[in-house]
Amino acid sequence: ATLVVGLIIAALVTDRAIAFKFQAISMVPEAVKRDDRVGNSMSPALIGVEAANIGLWEWNVARGTLVITRKLEEMLGCSPDERVTTFADWKSRVDRLGGATQERISQAFLAGTHDGFFNAEYYVDLPDGRRRHFVTRAMPMLDENGAQIGLVGADMDMTDLRELTEELKGA
């Protein structure tokens, strides 16, 4: 019983930490800019996000570009010389349902039928046989006239939390 109570408390604390990380992520796009005060190296905000095992991305549909952090490429199982530069590249690495769901939600944003944030889940089967589960959170990217031209977001590896949840169910 003590073990179960401990696992439940750990899960609740983890859930609160994840909520806090997603709050912090919503402020990252502005903070990710390079910081001239430190010799144009990565900003402290970006370093903190990468240390938390969170990958950031920006999908500009108007330009047809996808820019993601190297951290996210690593999380997706890319080798050091592989890059993900289009939505099709990303979609080819994730499970079929997760990719289709995010494509459908993204199109709704761009059509103006969805606004605010969206959350979605997907998984990736890595080359070494491990399966990693992710949660993505995104918001519209607007041009200078306020038109939605894409999405900006963050992906977080939730595999450990998912495994803990399964342990709690088993207990």
Side-chain angles (χ1 to χ4, degrees), residues 22 25-26 29 55 57-59 102 105-106 109 114-120 135-141 150-155:
F22 276 130
I25 290 167
S26 69
W57 54 269
E58 178 184 289
W59 182 28
Q102 288 199 42
I105 295 170
S106 298
F109 267 95
H114 192 296
D115 58 6
F117 287 96
F118 82 77
N119 294 308
V135 171
T136 187
R137 181 160 175 138
M139 59 187 267
M141 182 170 54
L151 296 166
V152 61
D155 293 16

Side-chain angles (χ1 to χ4, degrees), residues 67-144:
V67 178
I68 70 173
T69 58
R70 183 63 194 149
K71 177 61 133 187
L72 183 52
E73 288 174 331
E74 291 168 0
M75 292 164 55
L76 294 172
C78 292
S79 67
D81 60 331
E82 290 179 293
R83 296 293 177 262
V84 175
T85 59
T86 66
F87 184 79
D89 288 345
W90 173 84
K91 194 174 172 186
S92 72
R93 295 186 165 279
V94 307
D95 71 287
R96 189 173 306 205
L97 179 60
T101 298
Q102 288 199 42
E103 186 169 28
R104 181 180 41 78
I105 295 170
S106 298
Q107 293 306 323
F109 267 95
L110 297 172
T113 59
H114 192 296
D115 58 6
F117 287 96
F118 82 77
N119 294 308
E121 296 181 24
Y122 66 93
Y123 65 85
V124 174
D125 289 323
L126 299 176
D128 65 7
R130 292 178 300 138
R131 178 171 282 179
R132 305 302 293 177
H133 295 269
F134 295 87
V135 171
T136 187
R137 181 160 175 138
M139 59 187 267
M141 182 170 54
L142 308 175
D143 68 11
E144 58 278 351

Side-chain angles (χ1 to χ4, degrees), residues 3-104:
L3 175 62
V4 172
V5 170
L7 289 173
I8 291 170
I9 291 170
L12 292 173
V13 168
T14 302
D15 187 52
R16 295 284 296 160
I18 291 166
F20 175 75
K21 284 179 187 177
F22 276 130
Q23 263 186 321
I25 290 167
S26 69
M27 296 179 278
V28 167
E30 191 61 34
V32 167
K33 295 178 180 173
R34 296 199 178 269
D35 190 340
D36 291 328
R37 295 170 299 168
V38 289
N40 209 24
S41 62
M42 271 198 315
S43 72
L46 182 56
I47 292 169
V49 167
E50 292 220 356
N53 209 25
I54 297 170
L56 303 176
W57 54 269
E58 178 184 289
W59 182 28
N60 187 322
V61 178
R63 288 191 202 132
T65 59
L66 175 66
V67 178
I68 70 173
T69 58
R70 183 63 194 149
K71 177 61 133 187
L72 183 52
E73 288 174 331
E74 291 168 0
M75 292 164 55
L76 294 172
C78 292
S79 67
D81 60 331
E82 290 179 293
R83 296 293 177 262
V84 175
T85 59
T86 66
F87 184 79
D89 288 345
W90 173 84
K91 194 174 172 186
S92 72
R93 295 186 165 279
V94 307
D95 71 287
R96 189 173 306 205
L97 179 60
T101 298
Q102 288 199 42
E103 186 169 28
R104 181 180 41 78

